[in-house]
Amino acid sequence: MRKVVLVTGAQQGIGRAMAAGFAAAGYDVAINWLDDQAAAEAVAAEVTALGGRAVALQGDVGRIAEGAALVEGTVAALGRIDVLVNNAGIFPRVEFLAMTEAIWDAVHSVNLKGSAFCGQAAARAMVAAGHGGSIINLSSQALRGTPLGVHYSATKAGVAGLTRAMALALAPHGIRVNAIAPGTTDTAQPRHGNTDEELAAMAATLPIPRLGRPEEIAALGVWLASDAAGWVTGQTWHINGGSFMP
C-alpha cells in the first residue's frame, strides 16, 4: 500500500518541491493551497505524472478547524495519512518599531499555531488508524534573528521548540517529529524583500556560494520520513550552504 503525505502550503516553493519529491518516492500526496487553485492543480498534475494519486485541498492552517479539515480531507480522499509536512508559512517584512499586534498574531497563527494544531490533527488520525508516522515542521535559519522579521524569527524558533516537545509527546505512539531549517532558498519568499542582485550578493558570501534549491530541502524531508531515519526524532536539521553552523 502506498503511503500518504499531506503538505501544507504546497502551491509553490518548498511545498511544491516537497509534493513532487514525495510523489517521486512513491507517496500519494494531499496538496494544501490557500489562494491559488490553478497552481495547486498544476502541482497535482505533477504528482499524477510521477505515478501518485493527488488531491488538492484549500484551507488556512491558521484556523484550527480548517487545519483539522485538511487532515480529514486527506484521509477521505486518499485513505490514510502517514506523513505531515507543516510547510505553510508567511513572512510579511516589517520594522520592529512599526509592528502591530495584528501582524504579530497573523504570523503566529499560521507559522506556529498552524504547525501545532495541524500536527495534532495528523497525529490523532495516525493514532486512530493504529500506525505510526512522521511529522516534519519547517523552521528557518531566521530562528537566529532577522531585523525585519522579529515576529517571524519568534515563530521559527518556536517551531524548533515545538518539534522537540511534540517528539517527546508522540514517541509512545510511534510518531517521529523533526524540523528542517532552510537558509535562503530560491523561492518567491526571499524575493519579496530582496532584489536579484541583493540575493546574488548574499549567496556569494556563503561557503557554498549559491542559494538553496527547493528540491534539496524536499530531499531532506523525504529522507526524514523514511525508514532510513527511523531513529531520528526531535531534531532541527539545518540546510543552508554553511551560513549557520549551530
Side-chain angles (χ1 to χ4, degrees):
M1 177 181 291
R2 294 172 66 94
K3 290 188 175 182
V4 173
V5 59
L6 165 61
V7 183
T8 68
Q11 68 189 41
Q12 63 180 355
I14 290 172
R16 180 172 188 153
M18 285 282 185
F22 273 95
Y27 285 75
D28 295 331
V29 185
I31 299 148
N32 162 238
W33 60 280
L34 177 65
D35 56 10
D36 192 340
Q37 184 174 3
E41 290 174 351
V43 179
E46 187 174 359
V47 169
T48 302
L50 289 166
R53 293 183 298 156
V55 61
L57 301 169
Q58 196 275 339
D60 178 357
V61 302
R63 299 177 181 273
I64 293 174
E66 292 187 31
L70 293 177
V71 173
E72 293 168 2
T74 298
V75 175
L78 301 176
R80 56 189 288 145
I81 182 170
D82 300 276
V83 180
L84 168 67
V85 180
N86 271 318
N87 169 76
I90 59 173
F91 185 1
R93 273 75 171 174
V94 62
E95 295 280 356
F96 178 58
L97 297 180
M99 185 185 300
T100 65
E101 182 180 10
I103 294 173
W104 174 274
D105 287 349
V107 173
H108 277 71
S109 287
V110 174
N111 297 5
L112 189 54
K113 184 177 77 175
S115 294
F117 283 95
C118 283
Q120 181 191 67
R124 284 173 171 169
M126 293 170 188
V127 171
H131 61 72
S134 174
I135 297 173
I136 300 165
N137 298 322
L138 266 291
S139 181
S140 169
Q141 177 179 281
L143 60 80
R144 63 179 179 166
T146 182
L148 294 179
V150 172
H151 50 353
Y152 183 79
S153 292
T155 63
K156 292 305 185 178
V159 165
L162 173 72
T163 296
R164 291 190 291 270
M166 287 175 63
L168 293 171
L170 296 177
H173 301 287
I175 300 169
R176 297 183 298 105
V177 188
N178 290 285
I180 299 174
T184 304
T185 305
D186 192 5
T187 66
Q189 193 226 61
R191 298 183 186 283
H192 287 311
N194 302 281
T195 66
D196 285 345
E197 292 75 17
E198 288 169 335
L199 288 173
M202 286 191 296
T205 68
L206 303 180
I208 300 176
R210 62 172 176 80
L211 299 180
R213 302 185 185 105
E215 295 77 15
E216 293 172 309
I217 315 304
L220 178 54
V222 171
W223 180 78
L224 285 171
S226 74
D227 290 342
W231 206 41
V232 178
T233 197
Q235 307 301 310
T236 296
W237 293 74
H238 293 269
I239 177 169
N240 54 40
S243 61
F244 177 50
M245 302 181 185

